[in-house]
Amino acid sequence: MLRGVTAMGLATVDASGRFIEARYFKTMFDEVDQTLTKRVDENELSGFLKRSVSGISRYDARRDVQIVPIHTTIRNLQEQSTSLCDVYLRLYLLSSRKVAPAQVNLAGVLDLFVNVAWTSLGPCLPERVEELRHGAWADGKEVTIGGVWPFPRMTDYVVPSGVKIMNSENVRLGAYLAYGTNVLGGGFCNTGSSTLGATAVEGRLSLGVTVGEGSHIGGGASLMGTTSGGGKQTVNIGRNCLVGANAGVGISLGDNCIVEAGCYVTAGLPIHLTDGQIVKASDLAGKSDLLFRRDAFRGIVEAVPSPGWTGLNMKLHQ
């Protein structure tokens, strides 16, 4: 069973000595005694990577940050994170597909993050941006801001093989995207979301959401996660499901399910069955071969046997 990990990389440290982000170059899975992050020198990092990194440690006066080599160990990935560098290592392991989503505990990670301005000259604190811009202008350079947010975009840290991403701004580090995943222009994959095979994502995958192989999340569709006051029940979408455009799902779906375009299925929504019963949507969580649709005349939501759908165009997922 996968337990501990050790890794080395670089971290950005602000003027107060606080880590604001970290990136890792090499990881090894092994039994370790404790979870910690410590600064190391360039020689230690060179030895770990088996190549010279002389000069990689430096002070960036424009951003007022130090770039320092670090060594991070995590005793057990199922234990809760204890530091920002601990979190970044977990997110890197997920996005690089070195671990499966179920192997990593992401509980409480939001409490450890720092709000960061992701600039074209590197990450820095938001209050530093104006001075950074002025200094860059003096040197004839332009600074662009990709976002001001605790979570960085995934492609700045790792680009997983076999994945197509139309808009990299919409995929956060810590998303686990399986081989064959296509994230289209409007698709969004948050930290802690995952796909388990060839899938098409045009809608939103929130933290904790899992989408099974062969499924399509339509444009504008939303899969409810476990942040922003939501429930603790994670939403898992089964294999070969279709969530229509502008639809929403707040329960898990089994295999071969369809949610009609524009239909939002929340856990407490009354669902009418073909035998006349009325149940909560949560009572149908995880059940396969269902079509959720809204009766245009009566305004009720029904669950009926799914007729199936044509499935993904696999040429686009090769």
Side-chain angles (χ1 to χ4, degrees):
M1 182 178 66
L2 178 64
R3 290 181 61 84
V5 61
T6 182
M8 279 195 179
L10 289 176
T12 303
V13 182
D14 71 9
S16 70
R18 176 180 57 172
F19 292 107
I20 66 172
E21 65 89 39
R23 59 193 63 220
Y24 293 92
F25 302 140
K26 185 177 180 181
T27 59
M28 295 189 303
F29 296 99
D30 199 0
E31 293 291 331
V32 295
D33 295 331
Q34 55 186 328
T35 297
L36 60 83
T37 294
K38 62 180 181 180
R39 299 190 189 191
V40 296
D41 60 32
E42 292 179 350
N43 291 332
E44 290 179 87
L45 182 57
S46 295
F48 191 78
L49 298 178
K50 294 183 171 54
R51 59 183 174 86
S52 175
V53 294
S54 178
I56 202 169
S57 179
R58 64 192 186 278
Y59 172 67
D60 187 327
R62 283 179 175 159
R63 292 183 286 147
D64 193 22
V65 297
Q66 292 278 352
I67 312 300
V68 299
I70 56 170
H71 182 197
T72 297
T73 58
I74 301 176
R75 183 179 64 180
N76 188 337
L77 290 167
Q78 288 294 324
E79 295 177 350
Q80 197 161 321
S81 298
T82 59
S83 70
L84 181 134
C85 292
D86 176 328
V87 174
Y88 265 86
L89 178 52
R90 293 170 193 245
L91 301 187
Y92 168 77
L93 292 171
L94 284 167
S95 288
S96 58
R97 300 198 298 251
K98 296 179 183 296
V99 297
Q103 294 175 308
V104 180
N105 183 356
L106 294 182
V109 298
L110 293 173
D111 299 331
L112 298 169
F113 267 88
V114 177
N115 200 29
V116 174
W118 302 99
T119 83
S120 53
L121 298 181
C124 69
L125 296 178
E127 53 267 31
R128 184 71 186 177
V129 168
E130 202 63 26
E131 189 171 346
L132 176 65
R133 276 202 178 108
H134 293 162
W137 286 338
D139 293 336
K141 295 182 179 181
E142 185 73 29
V143 177
T144 58
I145 312 299
V148 182
W149 192 252
F151 299 96
R153 60 185 180 185
M154 181 179 73
T155 52
D156 287 343
Y157 289 74
V158 59
V159 178
S161 61
V163 169
K164 296 175 183 175
I165 301 172
M166 189 177 292
N167 183 359
S168 62
E169 293 291 349
N170 285 351
V171 180
R172 301 288 96 186
L173 182 66
Y176 178 101
L177 302 183
Y179 194 94
T181 298
N182 285 358
V183 184
L184 289 86
F188 181 87
C189 299
N190 204 355
T191 297
S193 63
S194 56
T195 63
L196 303 182
T199 53
V201 181
E202 294 184 85
R204 178 182 178 85
L205 308 188
S206 299
L207 188 150
V209 168
T210 298
V211 178
E213 183 175 11
S215 292
H216 185 126
I217 310 303
S222 178
L223 305 184
M224 294 174 64
T226 54
T227 57
S228 300
K232 296 182 179 180
Q233 298 299 317
T234 55
V235 171
N236 299 310
I237 305 300
R239 295 165 58 94
N240 304 314
C241 291
L242 172 63
V243 179
N246 297 314
V249 178
I251 64 170
S252 291
L253 301 180
D255 298 334
N256 308 307
C257 288
I258 299 175
V259 179
E260 181 186 62
C263 182
Y264 213 113
V265 182
T266 56
L269 183 71
I271 303 291
H272 293 246
L273 305 181
T274 54
D275 62 3
Q277 290 188 74
I278 302 176
V279 300
K280 289 183 178 180
S282 58
D283 295 332
L284 302 176
K287 294 189 181 298
S288 298
D289 304 301
L290 291 176
L291 163 63
F292 294 88
R293 67 186 185 189
R294 184 173 293 277
D295 186 306
F297 294 100
R298 295 182 292 166
I300 62 173
V301 175
E302 302 173 315
V304 300
S306 173
W309 65 294
T310 56
L312 299 177
N313 180 352
M314 293 309 298
K315 290 183 180 179
L316 299 178
H317 297 267
Q318 294 175 355

